[in-house]
């Protein structure tokens, strides 16, 4: 019998620990659902079915730019990075600014450049596995975070030696704490300030790297203004660190909980690419996309939306829609077929998708090969996901690397 309410409150504690029962209920009973967001008590909509989410991500009648948002949304404090450089990140730009800025950044994420990062990625992964083995209480999330920090530092051209501080700032930026609504904006400013410091360092020490190329575009041909430059460095740090970290962490947990899939990946290493796509679909680093705002009064997925209405594309729900995948709640690393939206779709699809796939495709099989008897050091039900609306982020993930009671 179907209940009249979702199993847990959207963006409440129980939802963050396991959102999938609630998302399943919404897909079947209220696929375009109106509710109140816990921060600011703002009314908005959430789209949960694959077809609707994919359409929303590519629909030109919607914008990610909060300049299109309702006054109620902006006054409620939910506009991402409001009053900081973060409000100019590429994810929230409309054309033609988006086209101009993305073209500059994508000149670095070419197939040739990504291929050049494969060898450094292997080296970073092996070094981090060595470091993990020396820890008294090894935590997979330390491993998962150190790899993208090292790689993004390589790509940008400076060591991200404060990456733990940035991870904590990102967590605060997307946290849902109704008791301290200003914490989000303070965290965004901290991230932007870190970006400014890195830019100042790189101006003094230019090299053949992405940060230098972006600075040259700003200082030489003036195709980026200073705020756009800071925003671009900041979004590369945010997306490059946290999203990939969460993808690696949740994927390793998924394998530890499913010995058959773990064994299959070890026995058939050629499956690594399909495995990464399945990890992205099943429980990837991104839970939802950025808010979309209706640019005019319109009808969408059976809902009547006023201009400025904020809509959340529930990427994690779309990727579990049984209308698109059979046995959608089952992890199957041999799965092929329809594409997921784990890395976005349309105008704002992930710029660093190839790099994220490369890192995950090396880091996840490598830890399984090095530690084939690895097991959880705490019961799975004691693991906690952070209360971050944008991503799926495990707080801590302690393990026995060689099986329980062994070192």
């Amino acid at each position: 019998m179907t209940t009249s309410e979702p199993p847990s409150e959207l963006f409440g504690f129980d939802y963050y620990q396991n959102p999938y029962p609630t998302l399943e209920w919404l897909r079947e009973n209220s696929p375009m659902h109106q509710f109140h967001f816990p921060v600011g008590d703002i009314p908005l909509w959430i789209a949960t079915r694959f077809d609707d989410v994919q359409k929303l991500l590519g629909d030109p009648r919607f914008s990610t730019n909060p300049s299109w948002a309702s006054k109620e949304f902006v006054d409620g404090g939910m506009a991402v990075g409001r009053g900081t450089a973060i409000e100019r990140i590429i994810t929230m730009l409309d054309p033609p600014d988006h086209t101009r800025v993305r073209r500059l950044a994508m000149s670095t994420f070419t197939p040739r450049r990504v291929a050049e990062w494969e060898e450094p990625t292997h080296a970073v992964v092996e070094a981090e596995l060595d470091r993990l083995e020396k820890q008294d209480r090894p935590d997979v999330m330390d491993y998962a975070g150190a790899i993208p920090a090292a790689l993004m530092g390589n790509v940008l051209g400076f060591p991200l030696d404060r990456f733990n501080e940035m991870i904590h700032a990102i967590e605060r930026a997307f946290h849902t704490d109704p008791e301290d609504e200003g914490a989000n904006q303070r965290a965004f400013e901290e991230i932007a300030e870190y970006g400014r410091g890195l830019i100042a360092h790189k101006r003094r020490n230019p090299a053949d790297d992405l940060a230098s190329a972006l600075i040259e575009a700003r200082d030489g041909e003036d195709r980026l203004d200073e705020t756009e430059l800071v925003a671009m460095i900041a979004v590369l740090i945010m997306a490059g660190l946290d999203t990939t970290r969460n993808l690696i962490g949740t994927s390793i947990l998924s394998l530890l909980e499913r010995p058959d899939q773990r064994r299959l990946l070890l026995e058939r290493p050629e499956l690594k690419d399909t495995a990464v796509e399945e990890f992205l679909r099943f429980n990837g680093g991104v839970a939802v996309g950025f808010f979309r705002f209706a640019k005019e009064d319109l009808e969408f997925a059976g809902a009547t939306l006023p201009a400025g209405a904020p809509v959340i594309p529930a990427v994690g729900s779309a990727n579990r829609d049984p209308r698109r995948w059979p046995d959608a709640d089952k992890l199957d690393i041999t799965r092929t077929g329809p594409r997921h939206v784990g890395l976005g779709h349309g105008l704002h699809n992930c710029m660093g998708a190839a790099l994220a796939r490369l890192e995950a495709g090396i880091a996840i099989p490598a830890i399984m090969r090095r530690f084939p008897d690895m097991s959880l050091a705490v019961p799975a039900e004691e693991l906690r996901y952070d209360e971050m609306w944008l991503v799926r982020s495990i707080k801590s993930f302690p393990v026995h690397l060689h099986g329980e009671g062994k070192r």
Side-chain angles (χ1 to χ4, degrees), residues 121-182:
T121 302
H122 279 288
V124 166
V125 165
E126 290 305 313
E128 289 306 320
L129 288 171
D130 291 342
R131 190 173 69 87
L132 188 69
E133 191 160 23
K134 295 174 183 176
Q135 294 178 359
D136 291 333
R137 186 174 171 81
D139 189 329
V140 167
M141 294 311 293
D142 289 342
Y143 169 76
I147 293 165
L151 264 294
M152 281 310 300
N154 189 329
V155 171
L156 287 168
F158 31 61
L160 298 182
D161 50 1
R162 290 173 53 199
F163 81 92
N164 279 327
E165 291 179 42
M166 287 300 98
I167 290 292
H168 294 320
I170 294 164
E171 289 170 353
R172 296 196 308 277
F174 295 102
H175 211 274
T176 48
D177 182 3
E179 301 301 318
D180 188 0
E181 296 177 13

Side-chain angles (χ1 to χ4, degrees), residues 42 91 93 129 143 161 265 290:
I42 300 162
T91 318
L93 293 180
L129 288 171
Y143 169 76
D161 50 1
L265 184 60
F290 277 98

Side-chain angles (χ1 to χ4, degrees), residues 360-383:
I362 293 173
I364 298 166
I367 195 172
M368 295 299 166
R369 287 193 304 270
R370 175 76 75 93
F371 307 116
D373 298 319
M374 181 170 59
S375 62
L376 286 170
V378 298
E381 59 269 20
E382 292 183 12
L383 297 179

Side-chain angles (χ1 to χ4, degrees), residues 33 38 54 89 109 114 123 128 161-162 199-201 216 224 239 246 317 340 351 357 363 368 394:
H33 184 70
Q54 185 183 53
I89 61 175
F109 293 100
V114 172
E128 289 306 320
D161 50 1
R162 290 173 53 199
I199 290 167
H201 169 79
E216 182 181 358
L224 289 174
N246 294 327
S317 174
H340 56 76
M351 289 189 305
R357 287 184 168 106
M368 295 299 166
I394 305 171

Side-chain angles (χ1 to χ4, degrees), residues 101-129:
V101 173
R102 187 179 176 97
R103 185 184 301 118
L104 288 168
M106 287 304 294
S107 64
T108 293
F109 293 100
T110 63
R112 180 184 64 82
R113 292 299 293 268
V114 172
E116 292 173 357
W117 296 331
E118 182 169 355
E119 185 175 339
T121 302
H122 279 288
V124 166
V125 165
E126 290 305 313
E128 289 306 320
L129 288 171

Side-chain angles (χ1 to χ4, degrees), residues 108 113 153-158 202 205-214:
T108 293
R113 292 299 293 268
N154 189 329
V155 171
L156 287 168
F158 31 61
K202 184 50 63 174
N205 302 278
D208 181 19
D209 50 54
L210 177 55
S212 296
L214 293 171

Side-chain angles (χ1 to χ4, degrees), residues 52 103 241 355 386 405:
D52 295 336
R103 185 184 301 118
L241 284 184
L355 180 58
D386 212 328

Side-chain angles (χ1 to χ4, degrees), residues 57-58 64 93-95 98-99 102 292 345-350:
L57 292 175
T64 57
L93 293 180
D94 289 331
H98 176 274
T99 308
R102 187 179 176 97
R292 263 59 180 178
H345 173 75
L347 186 67
H348 293 291
N349 64 303
C350 177

